[in-house]
PDB file of all heavy atoms in Angstrom:
ATOM      1  N   ARG A  93     -16.142   7.479  11.025  1.00  0.00           N
ATOM      2  CA  ARG A  93     -16.685   7.726   9.686  1.00  0.00           C
ATOM      3  C   ARG A  93     -17.216   6.407   9.125  1.00  0.00           C
ATOM      4  O   ARG A  93     -16.599   5.361   9.313  1.00  0.00           O
ATOM      5  CB  ARG A  93     -15.552   8.289   8.817  1.00  0.00           C
ATOM      6  CG  ARG A  93     -15.950   8.878   7.502  1.00  0.00           C
ATOM      7  CD  ARG A  93     -14.752   9.501   6.816  1.00  0.00           C
ATOM      8  NE  ARG A  93     -14.531  10.890   7.180  1.00  0.00           N
ATOM      9  CZ  ARG A  93     -15.272  11.901   6.736  1.00  0.00           C
ATOM     10  NH1 ARG A  93     -16.286  11.679   5.935  1.00  0.00           N
ATOM     11  NH2 ARG A  93     -14.994  13.140   7.102  1.00  0.00           N
ATOM     12  N   ASN A  95     -19.238   4.300   5.737  1.00  0.00           N
ATOM     13  CA  ASN A  95     -19.754   4.287   4.375  1.00  0.00           C
ATOM     14  C   ASN A  95     -21.281   4.336   4.421  1.00  0.00           C
ATOM     15  O   ASN A  95     -21.889   4.150   5.473  1.00  0.00           O
ATOM     16  CB  ASN A  95     -19.266   3.033   3.638  1.00  0.00           C
ATOM     17  CG  ASN A  95     -17.778   3.112   3.315  1.00  0.00           C
ATOM     18  OD1 ASN A  95     -17.302   4.127   2.795  1.00  0.00           O
ATOM     19  ND2 ASN A  95     -17.037   2.052   3.626  1.00  0.00           N
ATOM     20  N   ASN A  97     -23.422   2.281   3.553  1.00  0.00           N
ATOM     21  CA  ASN A  97     -24.068   1.042   4.018  1.00  0.00           C
ATOM     22  C   ASN A  97     -23.848   0.821   5.509  1.00  0.00           C
ATOM     23  O   ASN A  97     -24.100  -0.262   6.024  1.00  0.00           O
ATOM     24  CB  ASN A  97     -23.562  -0.164   3.224  1.00  0.00           C
ATOM     25  CG  ASN A  97     -22.100  -0.481   3.489  1.00  0.00           C
ATOM     26  OD1 ASN A  97     -21.378   0.336   4.072  1.00  0.00           O
ATOM     27  ND2 ASN A  97     -21.650  -1.648   3.073  1.00  0.00           N
ATOM     28  N   CYS A  99     -21.157   0.522   7.208  1.00  0.00           N
ATOM     29  CA  CYS A  99     -19.932  -0.160   7.639  1.00  0.00           C
ATOM     30  C   CYS A  99     -18.833   0.880   7.877  1.00  0.00           C
ATOM     31  O   CYS A  99     -18.776   1.891   7.187  1.00  0.00           O
ATOM     32  CB  CYS A  99     -19.467  -1.139   6.562  1.00  0.00           C
ATOM     33  SG  CYS A  99     -20.515  -2.600   6.437  1.00  0.00           S
ATOM     34  N   PRO A 100     -17.967   0.607   8.869  1.00  0.00           N
ATOM     35  CA  PRO A 100     -16.854   1.537   9.115  1.00  0.00           C
ATOM     36  C   PRO A 100     -15.966   1.648   7.874  1.00  0.00           C
ATOM     37  O   PRO A 100     -15.774   0.667   7.162  1.00  0.00           O
ATOM     38  CB  PRO A 100     -16.082   0.912  10.272  1.00  0.00           C
ATOM     39  CG  PRO A 100     -16.790  -0.328  10.662  1.00  0.00           C
ATOM     40  CD  PRO A 100     -17.956  -0.544   9.766  1.00  0.00           C
ATOM     41  N   ILE A 101     -15.455   2.831   7.632  1.00  0.00           N
ATOM     42  CA  ILE A 101     -14.568   3.032   6.481  1.00  0.00           C
ATOM     43  C   ILE A 101     -13.219   2.359   6.711  1.00  0.00           C
ATOM     44  O   ILE A 101     -12.888   1.980   7.837  1.00  0.00           O
ATOM     45  CB  ILE A 101     -14.306   4.525   6.223  1.00  0.00           C
ATOM     46  CG1 ILE A 101     -13.636   5.160   7.449  1.00  0.00           C
ATOM     47  CG2 ILE A 101     -15.574   5.251   5.825  1.00  0.00           C
ATOM     48  CD1 ILE A 101     -12.688   6.251   7.133  1.00  0.00           C
ATOM     49  N   GLY A 102     -12.448   2.257   5.641  1.00  0.00           N
ATOM     50  CA  GLY A 102     -11.059   1.814   5.759  1.00  0.00           C
ATOM     51  C   GLY A 102     -10.113   2.902   5.271  1.00  0.00           C
ATOM     52  O   GLY A 102     -10.518   3.854   4.596  1.00  0.00           O
ATOM     53  N   ALA A 103      -8.842   2.754   5.647  1.00  0.00           N
ATOM     54  CA  ALA A 103      -7.747   3.561   5.110  1.00  0.00           C
ATOM     55  C   ALA A 103      -6.487   2.745   5.388  1.00  0.00           C
ATOM     56  O   ALA A 103      -6.503   1.870   6.265  1.00  0.00           O
ATOM     57  CB  ALA A 103      -7.663   4.923   5.780  1.00  0.00           C
ATOM     58  N   TYR A 121      -4.866   0.263  14.266  1.00  0.00           N
ATOM     59  CA  TYR A 121      -5.292  -1.101  13.934  1.00  0.00           C
ATOM     60  C   TYR A 121      -6.608  -1.434  14.638  1.00  0.00           C
ATOM     61  O   TYR A 121      -7.531  -1.994  14.030  1.00  0.00           O
ATOM     62  CB  TYR A 121      -4.206  -2.118  14.333  1.00  0.00           C
ATOM     63  CG  TYR A 121      -4.724  -3.531  14.213  1.00  0.00           C
ATOM     64  CD1 TYR A 121      -4.782  -4.159  12.977  1.00  0.00           C
ATOM     65  CD2 TYR A 121      -5.233  -4.204  15.331  1.00  0.00           C
ATOM     66  CE1 TYR A 121      -5.317  -5.435  12.846  1.00  0.00           C
ATOM     67  CE2 TYR A 121      -5.773  -5.476  15.208  1.00  0.00           C
ATOM     68  CZ  TYR A 121      -5.809  -6.081  13.971  1.00  0.00           C
ATOM     69  OH  TYR A 121      -6.358  -7.331  13.844  1.00  0.00           O
ATOM     70  N   ARG A 123      -8.909   0.455  15.413  1.00  0.00           N
ATOM     71  CA  ARG A 123     -10.015   1.196  14.801  1.00  0.00           C
ATOM     72  C   ARG A 123     -10.391   0.615  13.442  1.00  0.00           C
ATOM     73  O   ARG A 123     -11.222   1.169  12.731  1.00  0.00           O
ATOM     74  CB  ARG A 123      -9.604   2.655  14.621  1.00  0.00           C
ATOM     75  CG  ARG A 123      -9.548   3.406  15.934  1.00  0.00           C
ATOM     76  CD  ARG A 123     -10.943   3.861  16.294  1.00  0.00           C
ATOM     77  NE  ARG A 123     -10.976   4.575  17.550  1.00  0.00           N
ATOM     78  CZ  ARG A 123     -11.998   5.354  17.927  1.00  0.00           C
ATOM     79  NH1 ARG A 123     -13.027   5.517  17.130  1.00  0.00           N
ATOM     80  NH2 ARG A 123     -11.975   5.946  19.087  1.00  0.00           N
ATOM     81  N   GLY A 124      -9.724  -0.464  13.046  1.00  0.00           N
ATOM     82  CA  GLY A 124     -10.089  -1.140  11.793  1.00  0.00           C
ATOM     83  C   GLY A 124      -9.284  -0.715  10.587  1.00  0.00           C
ATOM     84  O   GLY A 124      -9.589  -1.124   9.466  1.00  0.00           O
ATOM     85  N   PHE A 125      -8.260   0.119  10.791  1.00  0.00           N
ATOM     86  CA  PHE A 125      -7.462   0.552   9.643  1.00  0.00           C
ATOM     87  C   PHE A 125      -6.355  -0.453   9.356  1.00  0.00           C
ATOM     88  O   PHE A 125      -5.957  -1.230  10.226  1.00  0.00           O
ATOM     89  CB  PHE A 125      -6.912   1.958   9.876  1.00  0.00           C
ATOM     90  CG  PHE A 125      -8.023   2.953  10.066  1.00  0.00           C
ATOM     91  CD1 PHE A 125      -8.259   3.539  11.299  1.00  0.00           C
ATOM     92  CD2 PHE A 125      -8.890   3.231   9.019  1.00  0.00           C
ATOM     93  CE1 PHE A 125      -9.330   4.408  11.480  1.00  0.00           C
ATOM     94  CE2 PHE A 125      -9.962   4.094   9.191  1.00  0.00           C
ATOM     95  CZ  PHE A 125     -10.178   4.683  10.428  1.00  0.00           C
ATOM     96  N   GLU A 126      -5.872  -0.392   8.132  1.00  0.00           N
ATOM     97  CA  GLU A 126      -4.885  -1.374   7.693  1.00  0.00           C
ATOM     98  C   GLU A 126      -3.476  -0.839   7.907  1.00  0.00           C
ATOM     99  O   GLU A 126      -3.156   0.286   7.516  1.00  0.00           O
ATOM    100  CB  GLU A 126      -5.081  -1.673   6.194  1.00  0.00           C
ATOM    101  CG  GLU A 126      -4.090  -2.698   5.666  1.00  0.00           C
ATOM    102  CD  GLU A 126      -4.213  -2.958   4.170  1.00  0.00           C
ATOM    103  OE1 GLU A 126      -4.994  -2.260   3.482  1.00  0.00           O
ATOM    104  OE2 GLU A 126      -3.500  -3.854   3.691  1.00  0.00           O
ATOM    105  N   MET A 324     -15.152   3.516   0.959  1.00  0.00           N
ATOM    106  CA  MET A 324     -13.768   3.739   1.413  1.00  0.00           C
ATOM    107  C   MET A 324     -13.328   2.479   2.132  1.00  0.00           C
ATOM    108  O   MET A 324     -13.937   2.106   3.145  1.00  0.00           O
ATOM    109  CB  MET A 324     -13.715   4.866   2.442  1.00  0.00           C
ATOM    110  CG  MET A 324     -13.696   6.260   1.910  1.00  0.00           C
ATOM    111  SD  MET A 324     -13.597   7.396   3.326  1.00  0.00           S
ATOM    112  CE  MET A 324     -11.846   7.328   3.702  1.00  0.00           C
ATOM    113  N   VAL A 325     -12.275   1.850   1.640  1.00  0.00           N
ATOM    114  CA  VAL A 325     -11.875   0.563   2.216  1.00  0.00           C
ATOM    115  C   VAL A 325     -10.366   0.497   2.438  1.00  0.00           C
ATOM    116  O   VAL A 325      -9.602   1.305   1.878  1.00  0.00           O
ATOM    117  CB  VAL A 325     -12.272  -0.617   1.293  1.00  0.00           C
ATOM    118  CG1 VAL A 325     -13.790  -0.754   1.199  1.00  0.00           C
ATOM    119  CG2 VAL A 325     -11.651  -0.469  -0.088  1.00  0.00           C
ATOM    120  N   ASN A 326      -9.954  -0.474   3.247  1.00  0.00           N
ATOM    121  CA  ASN A 326      -8.539  -0.819   3.330  1.00  0.00           C
ATOM    122  C   ASN A 326      -8.129  -1.392   1.970  1.00  0.00           C
ATOM    123  O   ASN A 326      -8.905  -2.138   1.357  1.00  0.00           O
ATOM    124  CB  ASN A 326      -8.316  -1.866   4.416  1.00  0.00           C
ATOM    125  CG  ASN A 326      -8.602  -1.319   5.808  1.00  0.00           C
ATOM    126  OD1 ASN A 326      -8.598  -0.101   6.013  1.00  0.00           O
ATOM    127  ND2 ASN A 326      -8.843  -2.215   6.756  1.00  0.00           N
ATOM    128  N   ALA A 327      -6.913  -1.081   1.543  1.00  0.00           N
ATOM    129  CA  ALA A 327      -6.498  -1.512   0.198  1.00  0.00           C
ATOM    130  C   ALA A 327      -6.610  -3.028   0.039  1.00  0.00           C
ATOM    131  O   ALA A 327      -6.955  -3.527  -1.038  1.00  0.00           O
ATOM    132  CB  ALA A 327      -5.075  -1.035  -0.083  1.00  0.00           C
ATOM    133  N   ASN A 328      -6.351  -3.782   1.089  1.00  0.00           N
ATOM    134  CA  ASN A 328      -6.420  -5.241   0.940  1.00  0.00           C
ATOM    135  C   ASN A 328      -7.853  -5.735   0.686  1.00  0.00           C
ATOM    136  O   ASN A 328      -8.047  -6.800   0.108  1.00  0.00           O
ATOM    137  CB  ASN A 328      -5.788  -5.948   2.142  1.00  0.00           C
ATOM    138  CG  ASN A 328      -6.657  -5.884   3.370  1.00  0.00           C
ATOM    139  OD1 ASN A 328      -6.860  -4.821   3.952  1.00  0.00           O
ATOM    140  ND2 ASN A 328      -7.201  -7.013   3.755  1.00  0.00           N
ATOM    141  N   GLU A 329      -8.847  -4.937   1.054  1.00  0.00           N
ATOM    142  CA  GLU A 329     -10.236  -5.315   0.755  1.00  0.00           C
ATOM    143  C   GLU A 329     -10.533  -5.225  -0.737  1.00  0.00           C
ATOM    144  O   GLU A 329     -11.430  -5.906  -1.238  1.00  0.00           O
ATOM    145  CB  GLU A 329     -11.211  -4.422   1.528  1.00  0.00           C
ATOM    146  CG  GLU A 329     -11.158  -4.604   3.037  1.00  0.00           C
ATOM    147  CD  GLU A 329     -12.117  -3.645   3.725  1.00  0.00           C
ATOM    148  OE1 GLU A 329     -13.325  -3.924   3.710  1.00  0.00           O
ATOM    149  OE2 GLU A 329     -11.664  -2.609   4.263  1.00  0.00           O
ATOM    150  N   ASP A 332      -9.503  -8.534  -2.062  1.00  0.00           N
ATOM    151  CA  ASP A 332     -10.518  -9.541  -1.716  1.00  0.00           C
ATOM    152  C   ASP A 332     -11.677  -9.501  -2.708  1.00  0.00           C
ATOM    153  O   ASP A 332     -12.174 -10.544  -3.142  1.00  0.00           O
ATOM    154  CB  ASP A 332     -11.063  -9.298  -0.295  1.00  0.00           C
ATOM    155  CG  ASP A 332     -10.034  -9.612   0.768  1.00  0.00           C
ATOM    156  OD1 ASP A 332      -9.048 -10.307   0.456  1.00  0.00           O
ATOM    157  OD2 ASP A 332     -10.208  -9.154   1.916  1.00  0.00           O
ATOM    158  N   TYR A 343     -22.759  -6.495  -2.440  1.00  0.00           N
ATOM    159  CA  TYR A 343     -21.609  -6.059  -1.638  1.00  0.00           C
ATOM    160  C   TYR A 343     -22.055  -5.156  -0.492  1.00  0.00           C
ATOM    161  O   TYR A 343     -21.602  -5.296   0.644  1.00  0.00           O
ATOM    162  CB  TYR A 343     -20.588  -5.339  -2.536  1.00  0.00           C
ATOM    163  CG  TYR A 343     -19.347  -4.911  -1.790  1.00  0.00           C
ATOM    164  CD1 TYR A 343     -18.318  -5.810  -1.536  1.00  0.00           C
ATOM    165  CD2 TYR A 343     -19.221  -3.605  -1.310  1.00  0.00           C
ATOM    166  CE1 TYR A 343     -17.194  -5.425  -0.829  1.00  0.00           C
ATOM    167  CE2 TYR A 343     -18.097  -3.211  -0.601  1.00  0.00           C
ATOM    168  CZ  TYR A 343     -17.091  -4.122  -0.360  1.00  0.00           C
ATOM    169  OH  TYR A 343     -15.990  -3.738   0.344  1.00  0.00           O
ATOM    170  N   ARG A 346     -23.609  -6.947   2.544  1.00  0.00           N
ATOM    171  CA  ARG A 346     -22.825  -7.955   3.269  1.00  0.00           C
ATOM    172  C   ARG A 346     -22.579  -7.501   4.700  1.00  0.00           C
ATOM    173  O   ARG A 346     -22.690  -6.326   5.030  1.00  0.00           O
ATOM    174  CB  ARG A 346     -21.426  -8.090   2.629  1.00  0.00           C
ATOM    175  CG  ARG A 346     -21.345  -8.862   1.375  1.00  0.00           C
ATOM    176  CD  ARG A 346     -19.898  -9.062   0.975  1.00  0.00           C
ATOM    177  NE  ARG A 346     -18.980  -8.101   1.622  1.00  0.00           N
ATOM    178  CZ  ARG A 346     -17.663  -8.198   1.605  1.00  0.00           C
ATOM    179  NH1 ARG A 346     -17.086  -9.219   0.996  1.00  0.00           N
ATOM    180  NH2 ARG A 346     -16.910  -7.299   2.186  1.00  0.00           N
ATOM    181  N   GLN A 347     -22.117  -8.448   5.512  1.00  0.00           N
ATOM    182  CA  GLN A 347     -21.651  -8.070   6.842  1.00  0.00           C
ATOM    183  C   GLN A 347     -20.420  -7.190   6.707  1.00  0.00           C
ATOM    184  O   GLN A 347     -19.618  -7.383   5.785  1.00  0.00           O
ATOM    185  CB  GLN A 347     -21.261  -9.322   7.610  1.00  0.00           C
ATOM    186  CG  GLN A 347     -22.257  -9.664   8.682  1.00  0.00           C
ATOM    187  CD  GLN A 347     -21.779 -10.794   9.558  1.00  0.00           C
ATOM    188  OE1 GLN A 347     -20.729 -11.403   9.319  1.00  0.00           O
ATOM    189  NE2 GLN A 347     -22.539 -11.072  10.573  1.00  0.00           N
ATOM    190  N   CYS A 348     -20.251  -6.252   7.619  1.00  0.00           N
ATOM    191  CA  CYS A 348     -19.060  -5.395   7.582  1.00  0.00           C
ATOM    192  C   CYS A 348     -17.824  -6.234   7.893  1.00  0.00           C
ATOM    193  O   CYS A 348     -17.924  -7.303   8.490  1.00  0.00           O
ATOM    194  CB  CYS A 348     -19.184  -4.281   8.605  1.00  0.00           C
ATOM    195  SG  CYS A 348     -20.651  -3.251   8.358  1.00  0.00           S
ATOM    196  N   LYS A 349     -16.665  -5.717   7.507  1.00  0.00           N
ATOM    197  CA  LYS A 349     -15.406  -6.388   7.849  1.00  0.00           C
ATOM    198  C   LYS A 349     -15.300  -6.528   9.359  1.00  0.00           C
ATOM    199  O   LYS A 349     -15.849  -5.708  10.100  1.00  0.00           O
ATOM    200  CB  LYS A 349     -14.219  -5.591   7.303  1.00  0.00           C
ATOM    201  CG  LYS A 349     -13.960  -4.318   8.100  1.00  0.00           C
ATOM    202  CD  LYS A 349     -12.749  -3.536   7.645  1.00  0.00           C
ATOM    203  CE  LYS A 349     -12.810  -2.150   8.309  1.00  0.00           C
ATOM    204  NZ  LYS A 349     -12.094  -1.104   7.649  1.00  0.00           N
ATOM    205  N   SER A 350     -14.619  -7.555   9.791  1.00  0.00           N
ATOM    206  CA  SER A 350     -14.431  -7.680  11.231  1.00  0.00           C
ATOM    207  C   SER A 350     -12.944  -7.852  11.516  1.00  0.00           C
ATOM    208  O   SER A 350     -12.184  -8.267  10.651  1.00  0.00           O
ATOM    209  CB  SER A 350     -15.199  -8.890  11.761  1.00  0.00           C
ATOM    210  OG  SER A 350     -14.683 -10.061  11.181  1.00  0.00           O
ATOM    211  N   TRP A 351     -12.569  -7.476  12.706  1.00  0.00           N
ATOM    212  CA  TRP A 351     -11.178  -7.657  13.129  1.00  0.00           C
ATOM    213  C   TRP A 351     -11.193  -7.829  14.635  1.00  0.00           C
ATOM    214  O   TRP A 351     -12.169  -7.492  15.304  1.00  0.00           O
ATOM    215  CB  TRP A 351     -10.313  -6.458  12.717  1.00  0.00           C
ATOM    216  CG  TRP A 351     -10.666  -5.178  13.407  1.00  0.00           C
ATOM    217  CD1 TRP A 351     -10.095  -4.674  14.541  1.00  0.00           C
ATOM    218  CD2 TRP A 351     -11.688  -4.249  13.024  1.00  0.00           C
ATOM    219  NE1 TRP A 351     -10.704  -3.487  14.881  1.00  0.00           N
ATOM    220  CE2 TRP A 351     -11.676  -3.199  13.982  1.00  0.00           C
ATOM    221  CE3 TRP A 351     -12.613  -4.187  11.982  1.00  0.00           C
ATOM    222  CZ2 TRP A 351     -12.557  -2.117  13.909  1.00  0.00           C
ATOM    223  CZ3 TRP A 351     -13.491  -3.100  11.918  1.00  0.00           C
ATOM    224  CH2 TRP A 351     -13.457  -2.090  12.875  1.00  0.00           C
ATOM    225  N   THR A 352     -10.127  -8.369  15.162  1.00  0.00           N
ATOM    226  CA  THR A 352     -10.059  -8.634  16.591  1.00  0.00           C
ATOM    227  C   THR A 352      -9.162  -7.609  17.262  1.00  0.00           C
ATOM    228  O   THR A 352      -7.961  -7.608  17.036  1.00  0.00           O
ATOM    229  CB  THR A 352      -9.464 -10.040  16.850  1.00  0.00           C
ATOM    230  OG1 THR A 352     -10.066 -10.929  15.910  1.00  0.00           O
ATOM    231  CG2 THR A 352      -9.718 -10.500  18.251  1.00  0.00           C
TER     232      THR A 352
END
Side-chain angles (χ1 to χ4, degrees):
R93 192 175 272 285
N95 288 312
N97 67 346
C99 288
I101 60 147
Y121 170 80
R123 288 277 179 163
F125 300 110
E126 180 183 6
M324 278 181 80
V325 294
N326 293 340
N328 74 292
E329 294 178 77
D332 290 343
Y343 182 81
R346 283 188 341 169
Q347 253 188 355
C348 302
K349 74 177 167 203
S350 63
W351 66 94
T352 317

